[in-house]
Amino acid sequence: MSLILYGLAGMILLTMGVGLFVAKKIQGDSVNYIVAGRGLILPLAASTLMAQSLDANATLGNTDLTASFGFWAGAALPIGLAGCLFLTGLFFAKPMNRMDLMTLPDFYRRKYGRTVEVVASLIMVLSFSLLLGGNLVAGGFLFQTFMGTTFVEGVLIISAVVFVYTIAGGLFAVAYTDVIQAFVALAGSMALIVYIAMNYGITIPE
């Protein structure tokens, strides 16, 4: 348990430190804050996109779905995300980038008017709130299980950490910390597969 505590504490400090450090890239510019100056290099952009599918909501949820209903139930989310990213990059990314948008609802305003922009914004806020809620629930459960906190304390700790570095550094902070989080998630997943295989074996029912 002490190793878990030290590891998590180190991860929290590193994430907050990096997020606050890159905040200086904002330089008082709203474009830098909201869309990272439209200049993220490919590794940062790729890590940010990858990290979106490596959250607690998806990993715990997919594990539970796979255990309950089989491989394809758990595979549906990552395959769907990959398909969406592929189609977006292939057909929509360049023309939308040329439009110099600040947010996705800006596109709907230009194409369809203010009413559609507001409706699209409300739908996005609602859907992201549900996604965020799922992640906080999963994170609170993990803190309760491995850290000995209460569920509510775990949710509050996670919320505070993410809020501090995001509000300070905008998309730059999110992108740079996503690199760390994606690496930790990938390394942890690989280590878990090896551990399960060595101690319990991997069986695939018919």
Side-chain angles (χ1 to χ4, degrees):
M1 181 64 72
S2 60
L3 287 177
I4 296 177
L5 285 170
Y6 291 139
L8 185 59
M11 177 68 181
I12 290 174
L13 291 174
L14 177 63
T15 301
M16 288 189 66
V18 170
L20 294 173
F21 178 76
V22 299
K24 64 182 182 180
K25 291 179 173 288
I26 303 302
Q27 298 176 341
D29 190 336
S30 61
V31 175
N32 287 339
Y33 187 82
I34 298 172
V35 291
R38 306 184 194 279
L40 286 180
I41 60 176
L42 182 59
L44 280 176
S47 297
T48 299
L49 290 173
M50 186 173 70
Q52 307 312 307
S53 60
L54 292 174
D55 55 20
N57 188 30
T59 50
L60 290 185
N62 283 4
T63 302
D64 183 61
L65 285 171
T66 302
S68 301
F69 304 107
F71 172 80
W72 291 109
L77 178 61
I79 291 174
L81 284 172
C84 288
L85 288 174
F86 178 77
L87 292 173
T88 300
L90 191 62
F91 297 110
F92 303 110
K94 282 188 177 181
M96 291 184 74
N97 191 47
R98 286 195 295 267
M99 293 177 71
D100 224 20
L101 304 172
M102 285 288 282
T103 65
L104 187 55
D106 289 346
F107 168 80
Y108 293 101
R109 184 187 74 250
R110 295 189 192 182
K111 294 290 289 186
Y112 307 109
R114 175 68 174 170
T115 301
V116 176
E117 178 196 22
V118 172
V119 172
S121 300
L122 292 174
I123 292 172
M124 292 178 193
V125 168
L126 176 61
S127 62
F128 188 79
S129 297
L130 294 173
L131 175 65
L132 177 61
N135 277 307
L136 291 176
V137 167
F141 173 74
L142 288 172
F143 267 63
Q144 183 182 34
T145 303
F146 295 106
M147 301 293 294
T149 67
T150 66
F151 173 78
V152 174
E153 288 171 347
V155 169
L156 292 175
I157 291 170
I158 295 169
S159 301
V161 170
V162 174
F163 177 80
V164 167
Y165 73 70
T166 301
I167 202 71
L171 188 60
F172 272 121
V174 172
Y176 279 85
T177 54
D178 275 348
V179 174
I180 301 170
Q181 294 163 8
F183 174 78
V184 170
L186 182 61
S189 298
M190 294 299 101
L192 182 59
I193 291 172
V194 172
Y195 175 81
I196 294 295
M198 292 179 63
N199 289 275
Y200 304 100
I202 296 178
T203 58
I204 305 175
E206 295 183 2

